[in-house]
Amino acid sequence: MTTADATTEAGRDFIRDIVQADLEAGRHRTVVTRFPPEPNGYLHIGHAKSIALNFGIAQEFGGRCNLRFDDTNPTKEEQEYIDSIQTDVRWLGYDWGSNVFYASDYFDQLYAWAELLIRNGDAYVDDQSQDEIRETRGTLTEPGKNSPFRDRSVEENLDLFGRMKAGEFPNGARVLRAKIDMASGNINLRDPVLYRILHAHHPRTGEAWSIYPSYDYAHGQSDAIEGVTHSICTLEFEDHRPLYEWLLSKLPVPSQPKQYEFARLNITYTLLSKRVLTELVRGGHVAGWDDPRMPTMAGMKRRGVPPAAIREFVKRIGVAKANSVVDVGMLEFCIREELNRAAQRRMAVLRPLKVVIENYPEGQIEELEAINHPDDPSAGTRKITFGREIYIEQDDFMETPPKKFFRLFPGNEVRLRYAYFIKCREVVKNDAGEIVELRCTYDPETRGGNAPDGRKVKGTIHWLSASHSVPAEIRVYNQLFANSSPSAATFTADLNPQSLEVLTDARLEPEVAAGNWTEPMQFERQGYFVRDKDSTSDKPVFNRTIGLRDTFAKEVGGKS
């Protein structure tokens, strides 16, 4: 994406106003932002807002955005996540160039600065357990209590910290804490933990370290080392900013970044908690991190969501200081708008009902012309084959229709898209009383869909030739949660039992089923679809990205 693209996409918001003012005042010559994911999971739609903001600001103002992995917890981090995060950021349309960094790049410097804090009386080794530290931290209305180890000598603290680094003590035996103020009104300043003991293999440093810095400690110092000018975080880090600034003021860091907070993304019918997403995968509620029902970048990509739609969605919701919930309908609108513009049209019959056109000559076939995109003449046309036996959608026929049902029923005439008028003459049922076939007649004078005598029909339905269509599996995806405000605590109770419907007998146009078709497309009257990675030459598999209109809220009856 070019700087011009970024400028076009960027709206105005309070963070961009801050950046603009800083540049105009000469406080910075080059804007440097960063996107700091923890490599212990897959990115989701909430991260897209941060990615677009950080990379977008850097591009708009001619600066750079660093991709920095917060790899400070080796017990949860894997190379798989590092690889997936880089793939997802690129897919979304952004690139960091050569500016990829890791918190582990700075472990030696962070350790040296921790020793400096100890020498200056600003940090100490605490032997209390995690539970004891939590119990003595106090509450929002009561101050905390000083640790009995708070007044250790500098020499003893340096010795113990060195032995922690050397791996002499077991996990949880000791921590390094900042010495700030246990009576502070901000709990984050009540002697926060800077280092903890973790005997674990690190993906990049192996067994070199037995202690690892906390995110609060690594965050600001990493920003300073990289020359980050604007460290943009979500709103939950607002109370951490005083600690961010305290650490920068106590250490000889090469620069003084500033932290700014914005509201994180919350969407109806969606949970973005990493814990919940992990449990959805581990509990088998979905088929993996890239399940198309998941709000992960990988899941949305597999579902066929265009990255341009996500960027447009993020632009539309803007950047605010107060948390709010965005209606998922806005995201769906952006997806439909982008796909309507870009996706070619094809026909597919998802739930086939066989139709025999009795007065059409047996063995005869003909080719009809169909347009590929109604709003894009340059997309051209294609040939579709018509014959005596075709398939239509089951719900395009009713034996006893209600009023205003304008599709096919006994005695009624409808238009076959691009083809002829047909009229239903007979309904064929099996022994169970199920409709298995329709017997119809056609008017050969209506080729192309119009009657020379001027008669009109109210219904137009799509179809496919029985002998010139290809069987396929279609996966129809809906919202994963049936509740517009699902609970993270009891999320399984809010799961939508109709979030996935697998149709194994669908029919497609042959060129769509061919393995070289990978672009999203609109199946006329059905929605937007994309080929799934499970697809093979013998068994095409397509995912529904989204329907042509929002029917889900009506189907669940406005449940909330």
Side-chain angles (χ1 to χ4, degrees), residues 406-408 412-416 420-422 457 459-461:
F406 299 126
R407 288 169 279 174
L408 195 60
N412 190 44
E413 190 172 47
V414 299
R415 177 187 294 106
L416 295 178
Y420 297 95
F421 290 5
I422 65 168
V457 294
T460 299
I461 63 176

Side-chain angles (χ1 to χ4, degrees), residues 357-366 386-389 442 444:
I357 304 173
E358 294 181 309
N359 62 332
Y360 193 90
E362 291 193 38
Q364 176 176 306
I365 61 170
E366 60 182 302
F386 185 80
R388 176 183 169 87
E389 295 185 356
Y442 88 117

Side-chain angles (χ1 to χ4, degrees), residues 42-247:
Y42 283 73
L43 298 183
H44 54 62
I45 183 68
H47 294 112
K49 182 177 180 180
S50 179
I51 293 168
L53 181 60
N54 281 287
F55 281 92
I57 284 176
Q59 291 173 346
E60 181 182 351
F61 292 99
R64 70 176 187 274
C65 181
N66 297 343
L67 177 63
R68 182 176 73 238
F69 290 98
D70 169 37
D71 56 342
T72 57
N73 188 353
T75 61
K76 295 184 178 180
E77 294 152 7
E78 298 178 16
Q79 186 64 41
E80 171 192 355
Y81 299 132
I82 292 173
D83 294 341
S84 74
I85 288 169
Q86 295 187 60
T87 297
D88 291 345
V89 173
R90 284 198 177 100
W91 173 73
L92 201 54
Y94 301 100
D95 198 346
W96 52 90
S98 60
N99 303 306
V100 58
F101 304 103
Y102 298 81
S104 56
D105 293 337
Y106 316 128
F107 279 177
D108 287 322
Q109 180 63 78
L110 293 172
Y111 179 81
W113 280 339
E115 287 190 316
L116 180 61
L117 289 173
I118 293 172
R119 290 192 185 94
N120 292 339
D122 293 320
Y124 63 97
V125 174
D126 193 349
D127 293 3
Q128 292 183 108
S129 68
Q130 183 177 357
D131 289 340
E132 289 172 326
I133 291 174
R134 186 183 302 111
E135 290 168 2
T136 58
R137 182 163 285 156
T139 67
L140 294 174
T141 57
E142 297 179 357
K145 298 177 182 178
N146 286 350
S147 165
F149 305 99
R150 198 173 194 265
D151 296 321
R152 275 176 161 153
S153 68
V154 168
E155 292 73 22
E156 184 180 6
N157 280 318
L158 286 172
D159 174 66
L160 288 171
F161 191 48
R163 290 162 67 188
M164 287 167 60
K165 177 179 182 291
E168 187 173 324
F169 307 117
N171 290 349
R174 290 182 166 89
V175 295
L176 182 72
R177 297 178 71 178
K179 186 186 290 187
I180 308 180
D181 181 7
M182 290 300 293
S184 172
N186 186 333
I187 291 180
N188 294 294
L189 295 180
R190 294 180 187 176
D191 293 9
V193 172
L194 305 182
Y195 272 90
R196 72 279 197 207
I197 300 169
L198 272 179
H199 295 282
H201 178 84
H202 190 281
R204 299 187 74 245
T205 62
E207 313 297 332
W209 291 88
S210 296
I211 56 172
Y212 291 92
S214 66
Y215 177 76
D216 276 336
Y217 177 57
H219 177 199
Q221 283 51 256
S222 298
D223 285 348
I225 292 169
E226 294 173 14
V228 169
T229 57
H230 300 81
S231 184
I232 305 168
C233 305
T234 44
L235 205 58
E236 64 264 33
F237 289 97
E238 183 175 26
D239 289 341
H240 295 246
R241 192 191 332 141
L243 175 57
Y244 181 97
E245 295 171 346
W246 184 88
L247 286 165

Side-chain angles (χ1 to χ4, degrees), residues 441-452:
T441 58
Y442 88 117
D443 181 350
E445 299 299 318
T446 59
R447 192 179 196 273
N450 292 301

Side-chain angles (χ1 to χ4, degrees), residues 490-505:
T490 58
F491 68 90
T492 55
D494 292 325
L495 287 170
N496 174 22
Q498 280 80 48
S499 64
L500 170 61
E501 181 183 6
V502 179
L503 307 174
T504 57
D505 298 317

